Amino acid sequence: MERREFVANVSHELRTPLTTMKSYLEALQDGAVEDAALASKFLGVTQRETERMIRLVNDLLQLSRLDSKDYKIHLERTDYLAFCQSIMDRFEMSKKQNIEFVRQFPKGSFYVLMDRDKLTQVIDNIISNAIKYSPEGGIITFAIRRRGNKIRTMISDQGVGIPKENLPKIFNRFYRVDRARSRKLGGTGLGLAIAKEMVEAQGGEIWAESDWNRGTTIHFILPLDRRDS
Ligand SMILES: Nc1ncnc2c1ncn2[C@@H]1O[C@H](COP(=O)(O)OP(=O)(O)OP(=O)(O)O)[C@@H](O)[C@H]1O
Ligand SMILES: [Mg+2]
């Protein structure tokens, strides 16, 4: 993405929550503060908008670190199945919506040389999208398959899906298929861009597959640690 376009996008993404906050604060100033219920509602809005800006700024910092030359990844030999189990356990514990998580893990154990924090963030970003776009009662499947000296991870949901023509773009910075829908759901379009850069920095590949209205699958592959086998 061009620098000019990037700056325009960032400015836009920051201005939106700021103007929202400004109008709610003005309404409070103009008297809404006297009405306890209204005041609490308006303060809630400004609080959520502040949190949105913090998330955005954190994502931007993350991307600027990825862009910088001294970007370092800390590769550690990791039991991949155990690593993924613990991530899924965490999602299972903290889930708020009516969503079912299904794990399809192979038998045995294998090791991947990876940066655990970064890969945790990759999977978090993918699963939070899956949750965000899942229907009530939807199933999110987390599948792992070994192929030769590579390991493939597939995270599928039964949500709205992504039209074919938009698929390649979802890994671009700030890209959202439907801005209005994503805004309501709180996205900025940076999650998958970060995921892609992180997977590629670890020698992997990431892509998406989707049927409009049927659901989405995000695939990524990572090389297995050769010392294994
Ligand atoms: N599982 C999914 N189902 C449907 N659409 C998806 C899914 N995952 C991603 N998308 C589409 O791809 C876009 C980009 O995803 P990405 O995670 O990069 O951004 P976001 O979720 O909008 O915002 P952020 O992750 O920065 O909060 C989303 O806005 C959405 O339109
Ligand atoms: Mg996202």
Side-chain angles (χ1 to χ4, degrees):
M1 183 184 291
E2 247 184 85
R3 185 182 185 84
R4 208 156 35 110
E5 198 187 337
F6 186 76
V7 171
N9 273 324
V10 172
S11 313
H12 176 81
E13 293 301 329
L14 285 171
R15 194 181 53 189
T16 311
L18 282 170
T19 50
T20 307
M21 283 168 65
K22 182 167 186 284
S23 47
Y24 279 83
L25 290 169
E26 275 167 6
L28 282 163
Q29 185 85 290
D30 290 349
V33 71
E34 313 290 347
D35 178 336
L38 206 57
S40 143
K41 192 174 148 207
F42 286 7
L43 285 171
V45 174
T46 61
Q47 200 165 8
R48 278 194 298 281
E49 293 300 303
T50 315
E51 283 158 8
R52 185 143 79 94
M53 281 195 292
I54 293 174
R55 281 201 302 274
L56 170 65
V57 171
N58 282 339
D59 283 352
L60 288 168
L61 284 170
Q62 188 73 67
L63 280 170
S64 91
R65 265 183 243 126
L66 285 165
D67 287 342
S68 82
K69 289 209 171 52
D70 49 45
Y71 173 66
K72 285 196 182 60
I73 50 175
H74 303 280
L75 299 176
E76 288 171 285
R77 182 175 157 87
T78 303
D79 177 343
Y80 193 66
L81 294 182
F83 171 81
C84 292
Q85 295 282 18
S86 76
I87 292 183
M88 290 311 283
D89 289 345
R90 173 162 54 79
F91 274 101
E92 200 80 66
M93 285 290 289
S94 58
K95 88 176 168 189
K96 294 193 193 86
Q97 280 158 268
N98 175 20
I99 281 171
E100 192 187 335
F101 291 110
V102 171
R103 307 179 200 190
Q104 293 176 352
F105 287 14
K107 291 213 167 55
S109 64
F110 26 78
Y111 292 84
V112 176
L113 263 187
M114 64 187 205
D115 186 315
R116 286 182 208 158
D117 288 345
K118 303 225 160 52
L119 208 67
T120 300
Q121 199 185 340
V122 168
I123 296 176
D124 280 5
N125 287 356
I126 297 171
I127 297 182
S128 35
N129 285 339
I131 294 174
K132 197 150 75 166
Y133 296 104
S134 274
E136 176 69 14
I139 297 174
I140 294 174
T141 309
F142 190 114
I144 298 173
R145 257 176 245 159
R146 185 184 176 161
R147 281 277 140 68
N149 56 0
K150 292 199 168 110
I151 187 90
R152 183 193 285 212
T153 307
M154 288 153 282
I155 297 164
S156 314
D157 64 64
Q158 302 176 317
V160 284
I162 300 163
K164 278 247 161 355
E165 66 270 23
N166 304 84
L167 268 184
K169 296 190 209 141
I170 63 169
F171 295 98
N172 294 352
R173 293 179 185 187
F174 295 108
Y175 184 80
R176 285 167 301 181
V177 173
D178 175 344
R179 285 186 171 249
R181 181 188 72 181
S182 308
R183 197 178 304 285
K184 202 177 74 206
L185 294 169
T188 55
L190 290 173
L192 288 177
I194 291 172
K196 182 179 163 72
E197 302 209 16
M198 286 181 166
V199 166
E200 289 176 354
Q202 297 178 57
E205 272 177 73
I206 185 168
W207 70 97
E209 213 174 57
S210 183
D211 278 325
W212 183 237
N213 273 326
R214 286 262 184 83
T216 303
T217 303
I218 303 291
H219 303 249
F220 66 87
I221 49 178
L222 291 170
L224 281 171
D225 186 359
R226 292 259 172 75
R227 285 173 293 179
D228 166 56
S229 79

